[in-house]
Amino acid sequence: MPRTDAEISAKDLQQRLAFFELGEEDASRLAQLWDVVQGAHADSIDRFYAHVGAFAETGAYLHDWQQLQRLRKAQQRYAAELFCAPIDATYVENRLRIGTVHHQIGLEPHWYLAACSKLLGVVMDSLDPLLEHDPRFFSEAIRATVKRLLFDISLAMNAYVSADRKALSQTNQSLRESQALQMSQLSRIEQLALYDDLTGLPNRANFYANLERQIADAASSGRVFSVLFIDLDEFKDINDTKGHSMGDAVLVELGRRLRDHLRQDELVARLGGDEFVVLAAGADAASARAIALRLAEAVARPMTMGGNVLSLKASIGVSVYPGDGASSELLVRNADTAMYAAKRARQSVCTYQPEMSTRLVRRVQMADRLEHALRDGSLSLYYQPQVSLADGRLLGAEALLRWNDAVLGQVSPDEFIPLAEHRGLIGPLGQWVVKTACHRLRAWDALGLRLPGRLAINLSPRQFDDAELAARLITQVRQAGLQPHRFDLELTESGLMADPETSMATLRQLKTAGFSLSLDDFGVGYSSLAHLKGFPLDRLKLDRAFVRSMLEHRNDYAIVVATIAMARSLELDLIAEGVESPAQAATLLELGCRFAQGFHFDAALPADQFMARWLRAPASA
């Protein structure tokens, strides 16, 4: 078992036991309970792991039958320790190590707490015979069991916090040991990546980190809190009629108003576009509605922009923990659902009600349709050129997945890719993309129209959950009659950093086979950029969000300059995404970026249009 850096002194242990009111009488009751519990413990363990295995987030750790048996034995040991072992330094050290193990395998705290809750439930079920036989002892026994289990959970949370602090300390140390210029560039990028570059508000990753902490705190304290989802009505009209610069100015002013009208224990963040969220600690439904009305009033005040007086209106949806969801995803989704209900009803504020969840029906329908799409021809690949900024020569292309369903119509990848990841369809979907891309390259080759450079294919972070990913990709490409050096694989920071050791092994296999490796959407991730130096990458892709606003916003320009310098210092190629104007292209070239893609050169095109516009037969000798 790995060493833990978490420590509990003897004085701290005694204070904690006193606070929990765990004493000799509790130890005596627990020891008596063990005679009752152990008789039904085997069945309790079976029920516990059946429940754990039913959820993708926890079932992923039950790899095979042997693993399950090892966990069952460990659970049996823990049950005996829970009821019979004294709480001494050895016991505390063991519980801290167990918490460290759960942190290292990536089990998030809310899932750990949920598993402990289930464990408590099955233990209590085994005590039911005591209820009729000796109700008073049953009550005292239950109280002792809960206190002891919560005490153990507190030790595990100590281990989580200690491990996070150690990781942060190691990251900071790594940054300090880097070269002065590179360290400065890293710290600037990481700092900016936690906040929205346009409004200066916390961004999506920052918000979700705060939301997860709020959930953990509320789960342990029993307090409520609310999530407010804010969306501007008809904001698209401003962009379409006044231009994106005006739209950006409106979002900046909106972010300022929201921030200025917050109170203590309220946090506002920008998720993207014209979507903002507020996290209101301690707010029940009534309090959250009052907060929403206050913010709606602030948004509605006339706004003067460039000689134009704009009247804006926001629709706000509210969800309340825990009644409207116990996970970050569900709370935000239900607040989003309530926001759309407010839009439909032309109201400023709506609080979530279960009947609003018609969007869930669409998700279920979409999941069913997506399985059919893998077979019915409604999926297709579009191809966007990647060019040299110096002379506009074609240097490669990126394959982009599109879905035009007969029932649902055109479905955005931002909608169906996360669904495919959630429903376990991302593996088959990824294989379809590779198969189709190989077929297209072979078809162009047969016509004498060989694509210069490499064809880029995106990999989902969830595909790295497949231990056979590298072998599967290599085999699929070679069976198609092609070689891996014809392809570039685009990865994300979250995909690499979820399990760095496994990711490193997979990437080395792919690199050795001949694939080139690119880090996509560089600059918007939340992982330690210092760690990325260890991965065998060939190039970085600068996210379009920075390129689009680099000429108007100083922070974006600074990120672009720092990223170009970073790529140069790491000896990586850099390709800028989302180049939409000659001025952007010229500035990028002047700053030292050599490669780009975006609407300035061409949109993503169906295969036949891409072939007609960009592919040429080699000149005759």
Side-chain angles (χ1 to χ4, degrees):
M1 186 177 293
R3 185 179 66 85
T4 178
D5 293 291
E7 294 182 354
I8 302 293
S9 68
K11 179 179 178 181
D12 289 342
L13 175 58
Q14 293 307 313
Q15 287 181 333
R16 191 171 299 197
L17 289 173
F19 191 84
F20 275 94
E21 297 181 332
L22 268 171
E24 293 298 329
E25 291 184 1
D26 294 302
S28 176
R29 293 188 187 101
L30 289 170
Q32 294 176 61
L33 282 180
W34 179 238
D35 292 334
V36 177
V37 171
Q38 66 177 333
H41 192 56
D43 178 64
S44 298
I45 291 178
D46 287 340
R47 291 169 54 206
F48 174 74
Y49 281 111
H51 183 77
V52 169
F55 293 84
E57 291 81 354
T58 49
Y61 299 102
L62 307 179
H63 303 299
D64 50 40
W65 184 85
Q66 290 84 357
Q67 173 76 357
L68 180 58
Q69 295 310 304
R70 288 192 295 270
L71 290 173
R72 284 173 54 85
K73 290 180 180 178
Q75 193 66 36
Q76 289 172 345
R77 288 195 300 271
Y78 172 55
E81 293 172 356
L82 178 68
F83 286 94
C84 301
I87 302 177
D88 54 18
T90 300
Y91 182 85
V92 170
E93 174 71 13
N94 186 47
R95 298 319 306 162
L96 290 172
R97 288 186 178 184
I98 293 296
T100 300
V101 169
H102 284 97
H103 181 278
Q104 288 181 347
I105 66 175
L107 183 66
E108 296 189 35
H110 59 280
W111 286 111
Y112 179 85
L113 293 170
C116 290
S117 173
K118 180 60 181 178
L119 176 61
L120 178 61
V122 298
V123 168
M124 292 176 66
D125 288 345
S126 67
L127 300 179
D128 281 347
L130 288 177
L131 181 59
E132 296 183 3
H133 177 69
D134 191 342
R136 181 176 180 181
F137 181 73
F138 174 82
S139 176
E140 294 172 344
I142 290 298
R143 186 177 298 108
T145 303
V146 171
K147 288 194 291 184
R148 180 64 174 261
L149 185 59
L150 289 176
F151 174 81
D152 287 1
I153 291 173
S154 76
L155 295 176
M157 293 301 100
N158 272 102
Y160 270 77
V161 171
S162 177
D164 285 339
R165 288 174 177 170
K166 179 182 178 182
L168 179 60
S169 175
Q170 290 175 338
T171 297
N172 291 335
Q173 181 63 27
S174 176
L175 290 173
R176 286 193 293 270
E177 293 173 354
S178 300
Q179 296 179 357
L181 177 60
Q182 184 172 333
M183 179 180 66
S184 174
Q185 294 162 344
L186 277 170
S187 62
R188 290 174 67 193
I189 292 173
E190 287 188 318
Q191 177 66 27
L192 292 171
L194 290 174
Y195 293 88
D196 177 54
D197 59 290
L198 179 62
T199 64
L201 297 176
N203 62 11
R204 177 184 293 269
N206 196 334
F207 170 76
Y208 272 92
N210 278 280
L211 179 54
E212 292 291 351
R213 285 193 290 271
Q214 187 67 46
I215 290 173
D217 290 344
S220 61
S221 66
R223 293 192 298 268
V224 300
F225 67 87
S226 294
V227 173
L228 285 67
F229 199 108
I230 305 170
D231 186 87
L232 281 181
D233 295 345
E234 311 302 334
F235 177 72
K236 184 176 183 296
D237 291 345
I238 297 177
N239 277 333
D240 291 344
T241 60
K242 307 296 184 182
H244 285 281
S245 296
M246 177 70 74
D248 286 348
V250 168
L251 292 175
V252 170
E253 172 63 14
L254 177 62
R256 185 193 65 79
R257 291 187 182 186
L258 293 174
R259 181 174 54 237
D260 290 349
H261 284 77
L262 292 181
R263 298 176 181 172
Q264 189 175 5
D265 294 330
E266 296 170 7
L267 170 75
V268 64
R270 183 186 178 211
L271 292 186
D274 61 331
E275 294 180 343
F276 296 80
V277 283
V278 170
L279 181 59
D284 59 14
S287 299
R289 182 174 180 83
I291 296 170
L293 291 172
R294 182 213 317 154
L295 297 177
E297 182 179 353
V299 172
R301 293 204 316 268
M303 185 183 298
T304 302
M305 290 286 169
N308 298 285
V309 179
L310 305 176
S311 295
L312 303 178
K313 181 179 179 295
S315 296
I316 305 178
V318 176
S319 64
V320 182
Y321 175 92
D324 298 333
S327 70
S328 57
E329 178 185 1
L330 192 56
L331 284 166
V332 174
R333 186 172 70 215
N334 287 343
D336 184 20
T337 299
M339 181 273 295
Y340 277 105
K343 278 188 183 292
R344 288 191 299 270
R346 298 187 179 275
Q347 299 175 0
S348 296
V349 181
C350 273
T351 302
Y352 176 77
Q353 301 296 329
E355 57 267 22
M356 294 177 180
S357 295
T358 53
R359 293 183 69 199
L360 292 177
V361 176
R362 173 177 167 82
R363 284 175 61 85
V364 172
Q365 183 184 29
M366 191 185 304
D368 180 64
R369 300 293 302 172
L370 186 55
E371 292 190 52
H372 288 88
L374 289 165
R375 303 184 298 270
D376 67 12
S378 59
L379 293 173
S380 62
L381 288 183
Y382 278 44
Y383 301 85
Q384 185 170 39
Q386 298 174 336
V387 304
S388 164
L389 279 170
D391 55 17
R393 287 182 299 110
L394 181 68
L395 299 177
E398 180 178 0
L400 298 167
L401 184 59
R402 299 291 184 262
W403 181 21
N404 188 13
D405 184 73
V407 174
L408 301 173
Q410 193 74 39
V411 186
S412 168
D414 291 338
E415 193 175 10
F416 72 79
I417 293 296
L419 179 63
E421 292 173 334
H422 180 70
R423 292 301 184 97
L425 296 174
I426 198 64
L429 199 61
Q431 293 174 35
W432 184 94
V433 169
V434 174
K435 176 182 176 181
T436 304
C438 289
H439 173 78
R440 182 53 54 193
L441 286 184
R442 287 294 304 272
W444 287 338
D445 289 349
L447 295 172
L449 303 174
R450 187 179 179 90
L451 176 73
R454 299 175 185 252
L455 180 60
I457 294 175
N458 290 277
L459 293 184
S460 160
R462 295 303 298 269
Q463 288 179 264
F464 280 84
D465 296 341
D466 179 7
E468 301 300 319
L469 174 63
R472 201 183 312 280
L473 284 171
I474 295 167
T475 299
Q476 193 172 7
V477 168
R478 288 176 175 166
Q479 286 182 346
L482 298 170
Q483 292 301 318
H485 69 260
R486 301 284 301 275
F487 296 90
D488 176 63
L489 301 178
E490 296 192 2
L491 326 161
T492 63
E493 292 180 49
S494 59
L496 296 181
M497 300 309 297
D499 185 351
E501 292 185 5
T502 301
S503 297
M504 178 67 78
T506 299
L507 295 185
R508 284 175 176 164
Q509 285 182 269
L510 294 169
K511 181 79 170 179
T512 300
F515 291 101
S516 70
L517 305 174
S518 296
L519 185 65
D520 198 11
D521 298 336
F522 184 74
V524 300
Y526 52 84
S527 56
S528 171
L529 303 182
H531 293 166
L532 297 175
K533 294 188 295 183
F535 291 101
L537 301 172
D538 295 286
R539 65 179 179 177
L540 307 178
K541 297 196 73 177
L542 180 61
D543 187 71
R544 68 185 67 249
F546 303 124
V547 174
R548 180 169 64 87
S549 303
M550 62 178 288
L551 301 182
E552 292 83 22
H553 299 289
R554 185 177 303 173
N555 275 3
D556 290 339
Y557 185 85
I559 290 178
V560 171
V561 171
T563 303
I564 292 173
M566 177 68 63
R568 186 181 300 114
S569 68
L570 296 177
E571 298 182 347
L572 298 175
D573 288 332
L574 181 76
I575 181 167
E577 296 183 291
V579 179
E580 298 181 355
S581 71
Q584 292 171 349
T587 301
L588 287 166
L589 182 60
E590 183 180 349
L591 291 174
C593 178
R594 297 186 296 157
F595 313 117
Q597 68 185 87
F599 287 166
H600 174 58
F601 308 104
D602 214 336
L605 302 168
D608 55 346
Q609 292 183 29
F610 179 86
M611 179 182 69
R613 291 192 194 182
W614 288 93
L615 299 184
R616 301 287 184 271
S620 302

